[in-house]
Amino acid sequence: MAFTVDRVDLRVLRLPLVRFFETSFGRSHDRQFVLVTLHGEGLTAWGECVADAHPFYSAETTATAWLVLRDYLAPAVLGRRFEHPREVWAAVRRVRGHRMAKAALEMAAWEMHAKALGEPLWRVLGGTRPAIASGVSVGIQDSLPQLLDVIAGELAEGYRRIKIKIKPGWDVGAVEAVRQRFGDIPLMVDANAAYSLADGDHLAALDRFGLMMIEQPLDYEDVRDHAALARRVATPICLDESVDSVGRAEEAIALGACRIVNIKPGRVGGFAESVRLHDLCAAHAIPVWHGGMLESGIGRAQNVHLASLPNFSLPGDIAASRRYYRPDLVEPPIEVGPDGTIPVPRTPGTGVEVIEERVERATEERLTLAP
Ligand code: NPQ
Ligand code: MG
């Protein structure tokens, strides 16, 4: 449905995490992010930028996203009429890179489109599943007993798959301990680019544990080395950081660098690019799953809709709100049923309401842009 963007609000928010989250690139105790609000057609739509305060997962940060949204992206949509949210990607194409900043704006535009039509977001994206399978990403802990405790809790909550973060010194021993204690659970690891090809033999030592996949073992921009590693390890390789576009995914698939792809709409530039990536992978019989970026309920609720597309055939990193933020910024919070699934809302838009008073309380900076 056509819509005109009358106003864009930008905010920087900071939310304390319920519990710290540690990856190979560091430990976070809170989450800072840019929140985009689009106003138009008498509607309000939201876009959460997944860039972090620090350039450790990706080159983009809250500061770069703020600047690019303020000076280039918001001006490219303000006062403009769009026949469809797919046109937003073309409107911001002149800006190179900055896919997380672009995604925040573009995803808000899809939400506005869905709301203007009175349709749930999944329907305009092409979703088909009534519920999505939920997995959980377990950070690096201070000790192995602590890791096992945390995982025991997550399994009791019903999560359908456990992912543990690994790094040199916290890998084979951690996986071995988890397998010993919990047996044949659906288990995978994510290295966030902490290894090099020289670690090939070490990574091959993970083969005996029957992991679903090893996510992003090698450098974030290195597709070729992943292809070389794939020839040395039996465990399927999944790419996250390295796939920042459909083009990069085509390259990775052609080289045999991955058998599975993690899709995060923020990483690739929004929903339109995510759907294209989803379709490309489906055409190559590459299963995909939905990644997570410690989103608040605003981004998390949108992710649930995207993850309902048919080729999202593996449980995603979309867990319950209360694992991360109490209270979350939305009502109702995202909850996982005892069967480890999250229902995909059937009401118009995202199916959640943003609690503006909670957004206000978490706001560190704000700016309103009008044509
Ligand atoms: C991943 N997420 O799949 C990411 C990495 C990640 C849930 O494992 C602040 C900003 C903290 C971005 C922690 C999960 C982050 C972050 C982890 C991204 O690789
Ligand atoms: Mg990852």
Side-chain angles (χ1 to χ4, degrees):
M1 181 106 137
F3 58 93
T4 303
V5 179
D6 300 328
R7 195 178 112 200
V8 177
D9 297 334
L10 300 180
R11 284 188 176 80
V12 175
L13 271 68
R14 186 185 295 274
L15 290 174
L17 285 165
V18 167
R19 191 164 183 276
F20 71 84
F21 190 69
E22 184 173 329
T23 67
S24 64
F25 55 79
R27 184 176 284 196
S28 301
H29 296 273
D30 57 19
R31 186 75 170 90
Q32 190 195 49
F33 60 91
V34 173
L35 183 63
V36 175
T37 318
L38 295 187
H39 300 271
E41 310 300 323
L43 299 165
T44 303
W46 305 85
E48 177 170 344
C49 180
V50 299
D52 186 34
H54 309 287
F56 301 151
Y57 170 84
S58 69
E60 287 185 82
T61 65
T62 44
T64 68
W66 178 268
L67 197 82
V68 169
L69 279 158
R70 183 192 67 190
D71 294 350
Y72 300 99
L73 306 180
V77 303
L78 271 167
R80 259 199 64 173
R81 185 175 171 79
F82 291 93
E83 295 302 322
H84 193 278
R86 268 191 298 269
E87 295 168 7
V88 173
W89 184 244
V92 299
R93 211 184 96 83
R94 188 172 163 218
V95 174
R96 297 186 182 181
H98 299 284
R99 286 172 183 262
M100 292 178 175
K102 288 175 179 174
L105 192 71
E106 197 252 16
M107 292 163 79
W110 280 90
E111 184 177 309
M112 177 163 284
H113 171 68
K115 284 177 168 170
L117 281 172
E119 295 277 5
L121 182 58
W122 60 265
R123 195 169 281 148
V124 300
L125 291 172
T128 53
R129 292 168 199 283
I132 62 161
S134 181
V136 71
S137 177
V138 176
I140 292 164
Q141 306 295 320
D142 291 324
S143 68
L144 291 178
Q146 195 175 61
L147 175 69
L148 300 179
D149 276 359
V150 171
I151 293 174
E154 306 301 3
L155 291 171
E157 295 280 318
Y159 288 105
R160 293 275 190 102
R161 179 225 66 197
I162 301 291
K163 158 167 138 183
I164 66 169
K165 293 292 193 176
I166 58 168
K167 65 175 180 182
W170 182 271
D171 47 30
V172 177
V175 171
E176 184 168 36
V178 174
R179 275 284 182 246
Q180 236 165 44
R181 165 85 180 269
F182 300 106
D184 198 24
I185 57 167
L187 181 66
M188 59 176 286
V189 295
D190 183 1
N192 287 110
Y195 297 88
S196 73
L197 202 46
D199 301 311
D201 290 340
H202 185 66
L203 292 167
L206 292 170
D207 282 343
R208 68 188 164 98
F209 299 110
L211 300 175
M212 299 166 76
M213 69 194 91
I214 305 176
E215 182 181 351
Q216 195 68 40
L218 309 181
D219 197 59
Y220 63 95
E221 30 188 29
D222 202 331
V223 169
R224 191 186 47 181
D225 278 359
H226 281 97
L229 181 68
R231 294 189 282 271
R232 291 171 57 183
V233 303
T235 310
I237 288 174
C238 168
L239 291 178
D240 174 0
E241 286 93 324
S242 286
V243 173
D244 60 358
S245 65
V246 172
R248 194 52 70 99
E250 284 177 312
E251 237 172 73
I253 293 167
L255 286 170
C258 60
R259 279 154 57 186
I260 301 171
V261 170
N262 167 325
I263 296 182
K264 295 172 179 173
R267 195 189 68 229
V268 300
F271 281 139
E273 187 77 347
S274 295
V275 172
R276 286 190 287 267
L277 178 54
H278 164 275
D279 295 350
L280 171 83
C281 291
H284 287 87
I286 302 262
V288 305
W289 54 278
H290 202 301
M293 290 292 288
L294 311 191
E295 290 91 343
S296 80
I298 298 174
R300 192 171 297 274
Q302 292 189 340
N303 292 348
V304 169
H305 290 263
L306 180 64
S308 74
L309 269 70
N311 194 37
F312 282 89
S313 52
L314 296 165
D317 279 347
I318 307 178
S321 287
R322 64 192 169 85
R323 274 194 93 246
Y324 302 96
Y325 307 106
R326 285 187 210 139
D328 202 344
L329 299 177
V330 302
E331 290 291 341
I334 312 297
E335 296 199 276
V336 174
D339 65 343
T341 71
I342 301 173
V344 182
R346 310 193 69 82
T347 49
T350 59
V352 300
E353 184 199 347
V354 175
I355 308 302
E356 301 207 29
E357 167 209 328
R358 296 181 196 160
V359 169
E360 277 307 313
R361 228 178 303 138
T363 298
E364 294 187 328
E365 219 170 316
R366 75 169 58 74
L367 182 66
T368 290
L369 299 161

